[in-house]
Amino acid sequence: MAFVRAGLILAAALAAGWWFAATPATATEDEPENLPEGPGREETFYSCTACHGMAIVTQQGMSRARWDDTIDYMMARHGMPELDPADRKLVVEYLSVHFPSRQRGATNPFLKR
Amino acid sequence: MSSKRERGLIELYNDDPERADALVFGRRADKGADGVGRRGFLKGAGLATMGAAVGASIPFAQNMPSGLFPAAMAQTPAAGAAAGPKVLKMDGKADLILLQEKPLNAETPDHLLDDAVTPVEKFFIRNNGLVPEMPADINTWKLTVDGEVDKPLSLTLGELLNRFTLKTYRMQVECGGNGRSFFAPETRGNQWGNGAIGCAEWTGVPLRDVLQAAGLKSSAVYTGHYGADPHLSGDPNRPTISRGVPIAKAMEEHTLIAVRMNGKPIPVMHGAPLRVVCPGWPGSTSQKWLTRIWIRDKEHDGPGMGGASYRVTKVPMVPGGKTPDSNMKVLESMPVRALLTNIANGTELPAGTREIAVRGHAWAGEKTVRAVHVSVDYGVSWNKMTVQNPHNKYAWQRWQGKVAVPSEGYYEIWTRATDSDGKMQPHVAGNWNPQGYGGNPFQRVAVLVKA
């Protein structure tokens, strides 16, 4: 009984278009040109967008150490392929120059000890 | 908030607020005996400059703490992005704040959270991976329950609905990272403001009924939830995220395997056809597109359970620094939070307004909300609001009241909740942790009473 009822509800929902589209109508193209210019831009763009958009990257503001740690995290947690050392240096450099920590607190005295 | 000058100002404030105050507004911190600034006094030209920046005189300027960036000038959540917030344009969805498209993450502006029951169109979206394809016949969707149970179950959606009784509750689901953007320095992840929250009416089978049918062994300690959403890398063997809860929380009567949201089948974007609703805990425990519940004999160790993910510190760490994984513990209940929902940040009120009717919602994870206070003078005085009891456990609570403003000009409405243990929302996000959980400073909404 419950089964039939649920089935009917689902069918009605489908007909009503209740299960709306899974992608936003205005998907923006990710392009390297949308990132700030500088050495490492292409390397960064291509090594990060294999999986996700750049928006999760550009939302961040982090120190060099934390950007470097983020690369390890991407490899360990999400299976990102290892970058060769020269590329990794470029990418970390690019990210820490263009997406540094912008907020108060970034200069905590204990971080220098 | 788009001109170069204004953006520069925001950066200056972020870098060194006291210096910004001194440079821009001529405001100097009044140093206490210990050399720490207490309160900045805005006078003359400085006051006029800040007034010009917010577009009005600031009646309670003398109360404004030094280095406090006016809420009217603060950007909405995704503050880092110079381009300003983007808006989600999607069929069936209101104009949510788009944090990223792949994976799709969008938060609800505070003032769209005014409904007692959050409609689907206003419900935030938090995806960790891709949205799974739905089978042609949804009733063939399968749920497995295995691990530390006497009788592993494999049920189709149809069988689940036939075999168990449905319950309906209003319950909030809140992203574990709600409030992350308030941490300084920035913490890693989606930069949510306060809007990764919704309180919907969920209908489903209590998880405990299913676990009882499977028969928990005495070795059962924790659940591990799995969903059908593909990992962003496209690797079919890599679960996108798999979190769980201690058996006691899984057996709590409100923890549901939900099939309906607000009386209708759960929309694909919100986890159709089956999802866990584990109210009061980080939303990641409310697995969407549920396919499997694995009963574990230890704390679950799926992706999203380790490292700094959904974890807070045991011993406080230096903000922006490093701490060993052994100093991290799982974030369980979400902290207390209140939102003003009937007035949007940046609202102009008609000339002559001397009293403002305010209302909103407040919630506190596993706890309830004991009190909500509102200030319009930068926290010098707080007005007690009335707070209703929740519709059921885990439903957010309506609060409302009135506040008086003595004149025209620029005001900030500060809203602060206190939970049933007496814990209040702090002024700033404390207990810094690398991925930014538990940030619940009180909300600030700027209004302008017109001359």
Side-chain angles (χ1 to χ4, degrees):
Chain A
M1 186 56 207
F3 181 3
V4 175
R5 199 177 54 221
L8 284 176
I9 293 169
L10 289 171
L14 282 167
W18 177 256
W19 292 24
F20 47 77
T23 34
T26 51
T28 28
E29 281 303 320
D30 250 338
E31 287 169 11
E33 290 68 40
N34 296 340
L35 295 174
E37 224 177 312
R41 176 166 77 170
E42 308 262 301
E43 288 80 357
T44 305
F45 180 85
Y46 293 107
S47 47
C48 305
T49 52
C51 294
H52 46 66
M54 282 308 289
I56 187 63
V57 180
T58 60
Q59 272 185 69
Q60 316 298 324
M62 290 192 278
S63 64
R64 178 180 309 266
R66 298 192 63 236
W67 273 120
D68 196 56
D69 175 67
T70 300
I71 309 279
D72 288 338
Y73 173 53
M74 287 302 120
M75 294 196 297
R77 162 85 191 273
H78 295 303
M80 172 170 159
E82 193 165 347
L83 293 171
D84 77 52
D87 281 341
R88 178 167 175 150
K89 232 180 119 188
L90 257 179
V91 168
V92 171
E93 181 66 23
Y94 179 82
L95 291 168
S96 34
V97 165
H98 297 284
F99 304 99
S101 187
R102 290 171 295 260
Q103 287 193 6
R104 153 164 45 157
T107 52
N108 191 300
F110 299 112
L111 289 178
K112 296 191 194 96
R113 289 186 189 165
Chain B
M1 209 39 17
S2 56
S3 84
K4 252 202 186 119
R5 187 189 158 276
E6 285 167 331
R7 228 177 289 142
L9 197 58
I10 289 173
E11 261 160 37
L12 191 60
Y13 257 93
N14 285 333
D15 287 348
D16 188 344
E18 290 193 1
R19 186 164 157 269
D21 261 2
L23 283 177
V24 184
F25 301 123
R27 174 164 64 165
R28 306 238 168 243
D30 168 28
K31 303 275 181 201
D34 53 1
V36 178
R38 302 242 183 260
R39 213 169 271 302
F41 292 98
L42 273 170
K43 294 190 201 86
L47 183 56
T49 318
M50 190 181 280
V54 303
S57 72
I58 307 178
F60 285 117
Q62 76 279 8
N63 298 342
M64 219 173 178
S66 165
L68 181 83
F69 193 76
M73 295 161 74
Q75 291 192 325
T76 23
K86 282 204 198 169
V87 175
L88 175 75
K89 291 290 173 198
M90 190 183 211
D91 284 348
K93 279 302 201 184
D95 285 357
L96 304 186
I97 301 160
L98 182 61
L99 300 186
Q100 54 166 332
E101 281 160 339
K102 186 191 174 197
L104 183 59
N105 283 275
E107 86 167 87
T108 313
D110 300 356
H111 65 277
L112 292 187
L113 289 168
D114 198 41
D115 306 84
V117 175
T118 311
V120 168
E121 59 162 24
K122 295 178 187 166
F123 211 92
F124 77 102
I125 299 172
R126 199 299 184 233
N127 291 345
N128 300 80
L130 303 173
V131 177
E133 296 269 330
M134 292 292 121
D137 178 1
I138 199 72
N139 290 304
T140 62
W141 189 276
K142 260 210 177 120
L143 171 67
T144 307
V145 180
D146 61 356
E148 305 301 308
V149 293
D150 296 325
K151 293 166 284 178
L153 302 174
S154 176
L155 301 164
T156 62
L157 172 61
E159 286 163 349
L160 183 81
L161 293 172
N162 265 335
R163 199 163 150 188
F164 297 96
T165 309
L166 297 176
K167 288 274 159 64
T168 298
Y169 304 109
R170 281 185 201 173
M171 298 190 284
Q172 77 247 7
V173 173
E174 181 176 20
C175 176
N178 203 20
R180 179 176 292 127
S181 66
F182 304 117
F183 280 102
E186 297 96 324
T187 52
R188 190 170 54 205
N190 285 299
Q191 298 299 303
W192 304 106
N194 279 314
I197 172 80
C199 182
E201 201 163 78
W202 301 100
T203 301
V205 175
L207 177 55
R208 73 168 175 193
D209 294 354
V210 175
L211 296 185
Q212 268 159 4
L216 288 176
K217 290 188 173 160
S218 59
S219 51
V221 168
Y222 224 86
T223 60
H225 313 158
Y226 289 83
D229 42 337
H231 190 267
L232 290 171
S233 64
D235 179 349
N237 298 318
R238 191 176 275 279
T240 283
I241 186 167
S242 174
R243 304 203 61 243
V245 293
I247 291 298
K249 178 65 178 168
M251 297 297 282
E252 206 283 337
E253 61 181 318
H254 297 84
T255 303
L256 297 183
I257 299 177
V259 293
R260 281 182 224 146
M261 180 179 184
N262 297 343
K264 300 215 174 90
I266 300 173
V268 174
M269 199 44 79
H270 295 289
L274 288 181
R275 71 171 296 169
V276 178
V277 173
C278 187
W281 286 41
S284 52
T285 61
S286 293
Q287 193 87 31
K288 289 154 86 172
W289 309 292
L290 182 71
T291 55
R292 179 187 181 202
I293 294 191
W294 180 20
I295 302 300
R296 307 298 311 270
D297 60 2
K298 56 175 185 187
E299 187 175 289
H300 184 48
D301 52 4
M305 292 299 298
S309 295
Y310 302 98
R311 284 176 182 246
V312 291
T313 58
K314 293 177 189 162
V315 171
M317 67 181 289
V318 176
K322 277 197 146 199
T323 199
D325 285 354
S326 58
N327 188 36
M328 306 300 291
K329 61 173 185 205
V330 174
L331 170 65
E332 298 194 331
S333 173
M334 291 297 289
V336 61
R337 199 185 303 269
L339 291 182
L340 168 74
T341 58
N342 68 320
I343 300 173
N345 190 28
T347 297
E348 288 189 351
L349 300 171
T353 301
R354 290 297 175 267
E355 190 176 68
I356 308 173
V358 287
R359 64 162 187 269
H361 293 111
W363 62 97
E366 280 291 315
K367 311 284 175 202
T368 52
V369 173
R370 174 198 288 178
V372 173
H373 290 85
V374 170
S375 174
V376 291
D377 56 10
Y378 304 101
V380 170
S381 61
W382 290 92
N383 304 272
K384 197 168 172 33
M385 301 289 115
T386 59
V387 182
Q388 284 173 22
N389 290 330
H391 181 266
N392 51 256
K393 193 174 179 196
Y394 303 113
W396 63 15
Q397 293 165 251
R398 169 63 89 192
W399 64 265
Q400 60 200 331
K402 288 185 176 132
V403 284
V405 283
S407 68
E408 65 195 47
Y410 174 88
Y411 292 91
E412 292 188 12
I413 306 177
W414 290 6
T415 301
R416 185 192 73 194
T418 306
D419 76 12
S420 43
D421 286 347
K423 287 188 185 160
M424 280 179 205
Q425 288 182 262
H427 190 288
V428 294
N431 299 316
W432 196 95
N433 55 90
Q435 305 244 153
Y437 301 106
N440 67 334
F442 54 71
Q443 178 211 30
R444 293 166 54 192
V445 169
V447 295
L448 183 57
V449 178
K450 293 182 68 178

